[in-house]
Amino acid sequence: MTSHTETCLCGSGLNYSDCCGPYHAGEKLPATAEQLMRSRFTAYALRNVDYLLASWDTSKRPASIDFSKETAAWQTLQIIDCKKGGAKDSKGIVEFKAYYSQDGESYFMHEISRFVKTNQRWLYLDGVIKAAGKVASTANAGRNALCACGSGKKFKHCCGR
């Protein structure tokens, strides 16, 4: 579990307690589709099934989420683009890349997700994966090189962990 003083996994640069933590604890609701996307990424990383299901539109929500065979370690999120999804909108689209490690290798998933606002609450509707695969190796550049995932962090502090 992420501690309150750790930087939030969603890539906002804020501490978890000032970012996704209040959403996960049910203390407040995301005001935008992007905030919901960030909080859902962090919930995936923390395997917070209750939050993921609660933030999913009921028309597309699965009955359950099983993390028992999940071996991916979600590491960082890069928001590429947002269309609508603001506080006054009823629909939104967030395009992102999510980076994770699995079996000692670094991977990414590039998705375009749709969100809807129902009763003043943003919900994840569905998404289309544009691309997925292995992150280009940074072995030649060394562990002090910037990570190829685009986080802006050194490889050794990001996907090289």
Side-chain angles (χ1 to χ4, degrees), residues 26 100 103:
Y100 63 97
D103 301 324

Side-chain angles (χ1 to χ4, degrees), residues 2 4 9 25-26 29 46 48 50 52 58 63 65 68 78 93 95 103 109 113 124 130 133 147-148 151-152 155 161:
T2 299
H4 294 290
L9 297 170
L29 296 173
L46 300 175
N48 183 340
D50 292 338
L52 291 168
T58 57
I65 300 171
S68 65
Q78 175 189 10
I93 295 174
E95 181 177 357
D103 301 324
M109 180 183 74
S113 292
Y124 171 76
K130 288 186 68 169
C147 191
S151 68
F155 177 72
R161 281 195 248 177

Side-chain angles (χ1 to χ4, degrees), residues 6 13 16 20 25 31 42 49 61 67 72 78 83 89 92 98 101 108 117 124 127 131 141 144 157 160:
E6 286 184 38
Y16 175 75
C20 294
T42 303
V49 172
R61 180 174 53 210
F67 281 116
Q78 175 189 10
K83 293 181 181 152
D89 295 318
S101 66
F108 75 96
K117 191 191 263 185
Y124 171 76
N144 284 318
H157 295 298

Side-chain angles (χ1 to χ4, degrees), residues 20-67:
C20 294
Y23 304 138
H24 295 167
E27 296 166 2
K28 63 188 243 191
L29 296 173
T32 67
E34 180 180 342
Q35 287 176 345
L36 181 60
M37 178 65 242
R38 290 183 180 281
S39 68
R40 284 179 57 82
F41 172 83
T42 303
Y44 265 102
L46 300 175
R47 291 169 167 70
N48 183 340
V49 172
D50 292 338
Y51 183 80
L52 291 168
L53 291 174
S55 62
W56 210 315
D57 186 76
T58 57
S59 69
K60 303 275 186 161
R61 180 174 53 210
S64 64
I65 300 171
D66 182 7
F67 281 116

Side-chain angles (χ1 to χ4, degrees), residues 112-154:
I112 297 176
S113 292
R114 296 188 311 156
F115 297 86
V116 294
K117 191 191 263 185
T118 305
N119 298 324
Q120 302 302 309
R121 182 176 182 173
W122 280 105
L123 298 168
Y124 171 76
L125 185 60
D126 58 19
V128 175
I129 296 175
K130 288 186 68 169
K134 203 179 271 194
V135 173
S137 173
T138 58
N140 294 340
R143 290 177 43 80
N144 284 318
L146 288 179
C147 191
C149 78
S151 68
K153 297 178 184 178
K154 289 183 179 181

